[in-house]
Amino acid sequence: MSAISVEDIKAQSRALRGTLLEGLADQATGALAESDQVLIKFHGSYQQDHRDIREERRLQKLEPAYSFMIRTRTPGGIVSPQQWLKLDAIATRFANRSLRITTRQAFQFHGVVKRELKSTMQAINAAVIDTLAACGDVNRNVMVGANPQVSSAYATAHADAAALSEHLLPNTRAYYEIWLDEERIAGGEDEPIYGTHYLPRKFKTAFAIPPINDVDVFAHDLGFIAIIEGGEVVGYNVSVGGGMGSTHGDAETYPLLAQVIGFATREQVLSVAEAVVTAQRDFGNRAVRKRARLKYTIDDRGIDWFKSEVERRAGFALGPARPFVFEHSGDRFGWIEGEDGRAHLTLPVPAGRLADSAEASRLTGMREIARVHRGHFRLTANQNVIIADVPASQRRRIDLLVARHGLDRGVGRSALALNALACVALPTCGLAMAEAERYLPDFVARIEPLLAHHGLTEVPMLLRLSGCPNGCSRPYLGEIALVGKAPGRYNLMLGADHRGQRLNTLFRENVGEAEIIEALDPLFARFAAERSGQEGFGDYLIRSGLVAANPRQIAVRLVA
Ligand code: SRM
Ligand code: SF4
C-alpha cells in the first residue's frame, strides 16, 4: 500500500474528491490510484479483483481483473417494488447478474467495471437510492429490526433510523459532482460532525425492536434498543462499543459486545448519536488503524468515562436504562399477520445471494413479485428478504410466484441451514482467507446428516461462516461459527447464545472440514441427550462446561 496514510488521504481529499474524476476517465487501467481506492469507499464502492483468476492473469502478464463492488445506503433495508425493479435491472445490465443482500440490510452489486461505474451509480440514484457513506470512515447504513411484533414500533424506529442516517451523512457535494455531474464547487465544505479527517474508522449503528434482536444490536458501535410502552416507542436504551473484527494472531484486536449506558427519548436520539460520534472522532486511535474502532476507545478509557463524555457533549444526562428482553436474533420465516390485517412473508435467501441457478430462480422470481407487489420489501440483517405489507387479496398470487421460482427453498432442510449466515468472501473479497458464501451449501450438506442422526434437524441453531476474522457475518455471535484461516481451514467457535448477548469461544484452531465434523459429533450427541427444555445449543455448551465462556464477555446489562 502507499506510503501516505489513510489519515492523510482523508485530510487532503478536498471533502472526498481526491482525483476520482481523473481516475475514472483514465481508460488505460481498470484500477484507480491507491488514494482514490480509499476515498471511493466513502462513496459506497470498493475496488476489487476476481481472485479466482488472479494467478492466471499474473502469468499472462495482465493486470488483475479489476471491478468494483457497490453498496447501497438503505436504512432498515426498505425498498419499494419500483426501486427493486430498477436495482434488478442494474444487477443484470452492469453487474454480475446477482443482487447481494448484506448483513447490514443493504444491496451489493459485484463486478462493475470502471468504465461503467458512473453509469451504474447514476442508475442507482435514478432509483432514489444513494450509496454515500455506505462504506468508509463514517456512519454506515443504519440498521433496523425487520421482524417486528408491533408494526407501529417498526415504523417509528425506521423513521428515527432514517433521520439519523441522514443527519450523520458527510457534508460534501463531491458525491453529486463526481457521479451525478452536478456543478463543481471548490471543495472545503464545512464538515461540522466529521471534521477534515472524518472518523478514525468505520462506524455502525443499529436500532433493535425487542423481543427480537435480528440486528445483533450489541455488535455495533452504537445501538438503540426500542422501549415500547402502551404500543408506542417512548425512547431507546443506548448501547455503545460493540464490534466483531479481529486479526488472527494479534491479541490487541478482539470482538466485543456493546454495553448499555442509559435511556434516551426519541427527541434525544440525534444529539446522543452526534455526541457518541464526535467523542469517537476526538478520542479514537488514529495512529493504529486496527485499534481505531470505538470498542477499543471504550475498552481503553472505560465505559464510565465514555458515558460522561457523551452526556457532556449532548448537554443532558441519559435516563436509567429500562428493562427489555430479547428472545432470539433470527428471522421468522413464512407469513406473519400484521396488526392492520396486512401480512408479511419472510423468504430465506442463502447467504443473501439473489441469482438464478438450477435450484431456484431467485432473481427472476423476486423481479416477478416486484412487478405485482404493492407494498414494500425489507432486507433483514440475517441476509433474507421480507415481502411486506401484502393485502389478503394478493397473497395467493405471491404464493404462486414463490412456488414457481423456488423462493422458499433454503440452503438445506434443517433449522440450522435456515438461520445460517455467510459473508461474501471469495472470489471478490480482497481479505478472504477461506471460502464462506460458496462453502455454505457444502458445509450444510455435511452437517445435516449429523443433525439428523442426533434428532436435531428441527432445533434452531445459529451457524455463521466468515472467510476471515473480520467477522462480516458476525460469527462471534454464532452458536457455531467457522472463521477462515486459510483455504479449507477454519477456527471453530462455539457457545454464543441465540439472542446476540454472548460471544462464542475458540474451540478448535485451524481445522478442516473432517475435524470440524468430528468435533461437533459428540457435542451434538450430548446436547441431544442432556438438553433442558427448549435450551439453545450455545446455552447448553456453556451450562455443561463443554465450552468455556469467552473471557472477554461483558455481561450485557439488561437493566441499569
Ligand atoms: Fe465487512 C471489510 C463485506 C458486514 C467487519 N466487508 C469488508 C470488505 C469490504 C472487504 C474489504 O475491506 O476489502 C468486504 C467486501 C466483500 C465483498 O466482496 O462484497 C466486506 N461486510 C461485508 C458484507 C457484504 C458481508 C455480507 O456477506 O453481507 C457486509 C456488508 C454490510 C453493509 O451493508 O454495510 C459486511 N463487516 C460487516 C459486519 C457485520 C455488521 O456490521 O453488522 C462486520 C462486523 C461488525 C464490525 O464492523 O465490527 C464487518 N468488514 C468488517 C471488517 C473488520 C472491521 C474491524 O473493526 O476490524 C472489515 C475489514 C476492515 O474494515 O478493515 C470488513
Ligand atoms: Fe471478506 Fe473477511 Fe468480511 Fe468475509 S469476513 S467478507 S472474508 S472481510
Side-chain angles (χ1 to χ4, degrees):
M1 208 45 197
S2 74
I4 177 167
S5 73
V6 173
E7 287 300 309
D8 288 341
I9 292 171
K10 290 185 284 188
Q12 294 166 19
S13 71
R14 295 177 299 118
L16 305 178
R17 288 171 179 80
T19 54
L20 274 167
L21 268 178
E22 295 80 346
L24 289 169
D26 178 1
Q27 295 301 322
T29 166
L32 292 171
E34 283 185 7
S35 55
D36 291 334
Q37 288 176 37
V38 170
L39 295 176
I40 199 170
K41 296 179 186 178
F42 292 76
H43 298 249
S45 180
Y46 272 71
Q47 180 179 309
Q48 304 183 316
D49 76 290
H50 196 305
R51 292 185 55 185
D52 286 353
I53 54 171
R54 194 184 270 179
E55 184 56 13
E56 182 187 318
R57 306 262 310 177
R58 194 184 64 79
L59 291 174
Q60 291 173 354
K61 299 196 167 32
L62 294 170
E63 76 171 13
Y66 291 120
S67 67
F68 290 80
M69 174 269 272
I70 306 176
R71 189 181 285 167
T72 61
R73 183 178 65 92
T74 33
I78 287 206
V79 290
S80 69
Q82 295 72 28
Q83 288 174 318
W84 188 286
L85 289 172
K86 288 185 174 151
L87 295 174
D88 169 84
I90 294 164
T92 312
R93 171 157 180 219
F94 295 112
N96 65 353
R97 306 184 80 81
S98 81
L99 272 176
R100 179 58 158 66
I101 300 173
T102 74
T103 52
R104 298 190 59 78
Q105 299 178 296
F107 289 99
Q108 276 189 188
F109 301 96
H110 289 104
V112 179
V113 291
K114 191 173 86 173
R115 65 174 180 284
E116 295 191 328
L117 196 50
K118 189 161 170 172
S119 311
T120 313
M121 288 292 213
Q122 292 185 342
I124 295 170
N125 278 271
V128 199
I129 291 175
D130 67 56
T131 64
L132 179 58
C135 319
D137 294 345
V138 280
N139 181 55
R140 307 275 189 98
N141 193 39
V142 178
M143 292 164 70
V144 187
N147 286 268
Q149 305 275 22
V150 189
S151 51
S152 61
Y154 179 81
T156 308
H158 183 264
D160 292 344
L164 179 57
S165 176
E166 213 53 40
H167 185 71
L168 292 179
L169 278 179
N171 183 37
T172 175
R173 296 294 307 157
Y175 184 83
Y176 307 95
E177 289 170 22
I178 293 170
W179 307 110
L180 305 179
D181 291 331
E182 290 186 10
E183 199 187 335
R184 292 184 77 166
I185 57 172
E189 297 98 315
D190 184 29
E191 188 66 81
I193 297 180
Y194 292 119
T196 48
H197 288 70
Y198 299 86
L199 293 181
R201 204 67 166 80
K202 55 174 68 168
F203 188 92
K204 299 179 173 182
T205 308
F207 284 68
I209 307 170
I212 301 177
N213 188 16
D214 52 346
V215 295
D216 276 332
V217 70
F218 301 113
H220 304 270
D221 298 271
L222 174 59
F224 291 98
I225 301 162
I227 301 300
I228 302 164
E229 288 171 9
E232 298 293 325
V233 177
V234 294
Y236 301 91
N237 279 356
V238 180
S239 61
V240 291
M244 295 276 101
S246 67
T247 304
H248 288 310
D250 179 353
E252 292 294 296
T253 65
Y254 37 83
L256 276 180
L257 292 188
Q259 302 178 68
V260 175
I261 53 170
F263 172 85
T265 62
R266 287 189 62 207
E267 293 66 36
Q268 292 174 331
V269 164
L270 295 186
S271 310
V272 170
E274 200 174 312
V276 171
V277 164
T278 56
Q280 162 65 357
R281 177 197 66 198
D282 296 343
F283 293 101
N285 187 336
R286 289 184 187 266
V288 186
R289 256 183 95 70
K290 279 192 186 300
R291 290 273 309 172
R293 292 292 293 270
L294 175 63
K295 62 180 175 180
Y296 301 120
T297 314
I298 293 176
D299 211 25
D300 292 347
R301 291 174 177 262
I303 190 73
D304 294 333
W305 166 81
F306 190 73
K307 180 179 174 179
S308 30
E309 185 62 29
V310 168
E311 290 179 333
R312 190 184 65 74
R313 285 168 188 250
F316 54 82
L318 292 166
R322 303 201 183 171
F324 65 95
V325 173
F326 284 131
E327 290 170 359
H328 66 88
S329 52
D331 289 344
R332 299 175 303 170
F333 294 92
W335 286 102
I336 287 162
E337 297 281 346
E339 280 174 340
D340 48 7
R342 290 180 161 244
H344 314 283
L345 175 63
T346 305
L347 295 170
V349 184
R353 184 71 68 178
L354 291 161
D356 289 347
S357 69
E359 161 255 337
S361 39
R362 294 184 202 279
L363 195 64
T364 304
M366 288 303 298
R367 181 187 313 135
E368 293 200 1
I369 288 178
R371 284 190 180 131
V372 299
H373 182 37
R374 297 284 165 266
H376 62 275
F377 296 96
R378 285 181 207 163
L379 311 182
T380 80
N382 289 308
Q383 300 177 319
N384 298 309
V385 67
I386 303 178
I387 302 168
D389 235 350
V390 181
S393 58
Q394 281 270 313
R395 279 175 66 158
R396 197 176 133 65
R397 199 163 180 194
I398 293 197
D399 278 335
L400 286 173
L401 289 169
V402 167
R404 184 183 304 158
H405 295 283
L407 301 180
D408 50 356
R409 258 173 243 156
V411 68
R413 293 174 184 282
S414 58
L416 167 136
L418 203 57
N419 288 296
L421 294 186
C423 74
V424 178
L426 293 160
T428 50
C429 178
L431 305 175
M433 299 169 169
E435 298 279 356
E437 179 182 328
R438 295 196 296 196
Y439 179 47
L440 180 64
D442 296 345
F443 184 69
V444 166
R446 286 285 283 136
I447 201 171
E448 285 199 333
L450 203 62
L451 292 168
H453 177 71
H454 295 295
L456 298 173
T457 303
E458 309 298 330
V459 177
M461 287 184 203
L462 297 182
L463 168 69
R464 297 185 171 184
L465 269 57
S466 274
C468 82
N470 284 316
C472 299
S473 60
R474 298 185 290 272
Y476 310 109
L477 286 168
E479 292 178 283
I480 304 173
L482 271 53
V483 175
K485 268 225 115 173
R489 315 285 299 175
Y490 298 87
N491 282 354
L492 173 63
M493 318 282 303
L494 297 175
D497 67 358
H498 55 277
R499 302 169 206 88
Q501 294 179 179
R502 187 177 61 235
L503 291 170
N504 56 19
T505 312
L506 177 62
F507 189 72
R508 291 275 186 279
E509 196 168 357
N510 195 18
V511 285
E513 187 180 82
E515 293 147 291
I516 294 169
I517 297 295
E518 204 178 287
L520 288 174
D521 190 20
L523 300 178
F524 283 163
R526 293 272 306 261
F527 175 52
E530 297 168 15
R531 184 182 187 203
S532 157
Q534 295 300 303
E535 189 176 29
F537 183 52
D539 287 347
Y540 165 75
L541 292 175
I542 299 296
R543 175 177 67 81
S544 63
L546 289 167
V547 170
N550 186 318
R552 291 211 186 269
Q553 174 71 28
I554 300 167
V556 169
R557 249 195 300 172
L558 302 187
V559 192

